[in-house]
Amino acid sequence: MAFPTHRPRRLRRTAALRSMIQETHLSVRSLVYPLFACPGSGVKQEIGSMPGNYRWSVDLLAEECKQVFDLGIPAVLLFGIPESKDEAGSGAYDPDGIVQRAARKVKKAVPELLVICDVCLDEYTSHGHCGLIKNGEIDNDSTLELLGKTAVTQVEAGADVVAPSDMMDGRVGRIREDLDAEGFTQTPILAYSAKYASAFYGPFREAADSAPKFGDRKSYQMDPANQREALREIALDIEEGADMIMVKPALPYLDIIAMARAEFDVPMAAYQVSGEFSMIEAAARAGWIDRKRTVMETLVSIRRAGADVILTYFAKDVARWLAS
Ligand code: PBG
């Protein structure tokens, strides 16, 4: 008893019917806008591989954040480009480092905007890796102390949430312990739990000048071929105290998002990363795809797969589109 009794097209006939039965909804409330802070003042420098995205000095960043908040976007994710880099990435945990200064300024200018700080060393190390180097390898355990310090200085500066993206083992537990020891028991951790060694981070590495100077990130970030391993990584992070988890990148990893949603009850974010942004942007600029429709389709797909929160460089556009 299929056709002609059943006609799925009946419910697609009008816009009102389609909208009534829509299963997935996009809301500005689930968006996070990533931003790059750089030294100086009055600086707004476009990132070549990410048109429409800028390196902002802290003064202009605060202005930008006001606009972001006025668009209804509840949160920003801050990255920093330091004055100088060194072996140990000391700019990451300098109480007066670039992200700490940015967080302080933004919280003062727009107190209600949630400030999430990325916890990682790669933007701050001269070698571009996310951990300390020992005997030519990225050393896990000695890096943990620095990540803990990074998170503590960020929260002292006003960060509402910290988001470790380094993929060292045990970092969520260490950050939780260090935050608690300083009395920051109420500050949530958003863990980049399933973070893949992806080519889609290319434009970000230009933005932050953070490409590794030797080797690659495959000894700490995950192999794109692995699915079950993501569940193990997520389980470990939750055990160590992650309040929210993240899958990154987003669109090429919808299966991971869907599996994680089925398996775990914690809120989950997905990061539509720089390469996902630039790919759409480039094709749209060439006139090959419709920018708005493509962006909205990717985001609704990421939500449909199971993500609660989406980090995206399109957040401001999407906020405007949703409002009109
Ligand atoms: C590491 C970090 C990276 C991104 C977010 N946090 C770069 C990397 O792992 O190489 C990439 C984000 C993007 O591509 O938009 N601090």
Side-chain angles (χ1 to χ4, degrees), residues 15-16 24 42 56 62 82 84 95 126 137 141 151 160 172 178 231-232 238 243 245 269 271 285 291 300 318:
T24 309
W56 302 92
S84 62
S126 44
E137 292 202 24
D141 296 10
D160 297 289
V172 172
D178 290 357
L231 298 183
R232 244 170 48 228
I238 294 173
D243 301 280
I245 56 166
Y271 197 151
R285 280 171 192 239
R291 185 171 183 272
V300 94
V318 174

Side-chain angles (χ1 to χ4, degrees), residues 250-251 254 257 270 272 298-307 310:
L251 203 64
L254 291 181
I257 297 172
Q272 181 176 52
T298 59
L299 297 188
V300 94
S301 299
I302 294 164
R303 290 270 296 143
R304 191 193 63 235
I310 305 176

Side-chain angles (χ1 to χ4, degrees), residues 4 25 31 36 41 62 103 111 122 126-127 204 221 223 232 238 242 249 272 275 289 311:
H25 299 274
L31 301 180
F36 299 90
S41 67
D122 69 318
S126 44
H127 43 75
F204 175 97
Q221 299 180 350
D223 184 340
R232 244 170 48 228
I238 294 173
Q272 181 176 52
I289 51 169
L311 300 94

Side-chain angles (χ1 to χ4, degrees), residues 64-228:
E64 173 71 358
C65 283
K66 274 189 201 142
Q67 287 188 28
V68 171
F69 186 70
D70 288 342
L71 284 168
I73 297 166
V76 292
L77 172 66
L78 297 185
F79 295 101
I81 297 138
E83 270 106 27
S84 62
K85 309 194 183 209
D86 58 31
E87 279 283 305
S90 59
Y93 40 91
D94 177 350
D96 210 26
I98 183 68
V99 156
Q100 288 81 353
R101 294 204 302 272
R104 237 176 258 131
K105 184 91 181 179
V106 171
K107 282 313 287 187
K108 200 163 166 208
V110 209
E112 288 155 287
L113 180 71
L114 287 171
V115 168
I116 308 175
C117 287
D118 186 89
V119 180
C120 197
L121 302 186
D122 69 318
E123 294 123 67
Y124 307 91
T125 52
S126 44
H127 43 75
H129 278 290
C130 303
L132 290 175
I133 314 274
K134 269 194 189 165
N135 305 321
E137 292 202 24
I138 319 306
D139 190 66
N140 194 87
D141 296 10
S142 58
T143 300
L144 299 181
E145 184 193 339
L146 306 183
L147 295 169
K149 276 202 216 172
T150 302
V152 167
T153 55
Q154 291 172 345
V155 176
E156 280 169 349
D160 297 289
V161 178
V162 289
S165 71
D166 52 284
M167 288 301 277
M168 297 299 122
D169 295 331
R171 89 269 204 227
V172 172
R174 176 62 189 247
I175 289 170
R176 183 73 274 154
E177 210 175 279
D178 290 357
L179 289 179
D180 287 356
E182 295 300 321
F184 299 122
T185 56
Q186 295 300 315
T187 305
I189 299 176
L190 164 59
Y192 287 73
S193 301
K195 174 171 176 178
Y196 286 86
S198 172
F200 287 98
Y201 309 148
F204 175 97
R205 291 178 191 175
E206 183 197 315
D209 186 25
S210 65
K213 300 289 182 291
F214 69 91
D216 52 42
R217 302 214 202 289
K218 290 179 186 168
S219 78
Y220 42 106
Q221 299 180 350
M222 288 180 53
D223 184 340
N226 293 358
Q227 189 179 59
R228 296 188 304 265

Side-chain angles (χ1 to χ4, degrees), residues 1 3 13 44 49 68 91 95 113 118 129 220 236 250 278 290 323:
M1 276 272 280
F3 178 82
R13 253 188 63 241
K44 177 185 178 183
S49 54
V68 171
L113 180 71
D118 186 89
H129 278 290
Y220 42 106
L236 286 169
S278 299
D290 181 309

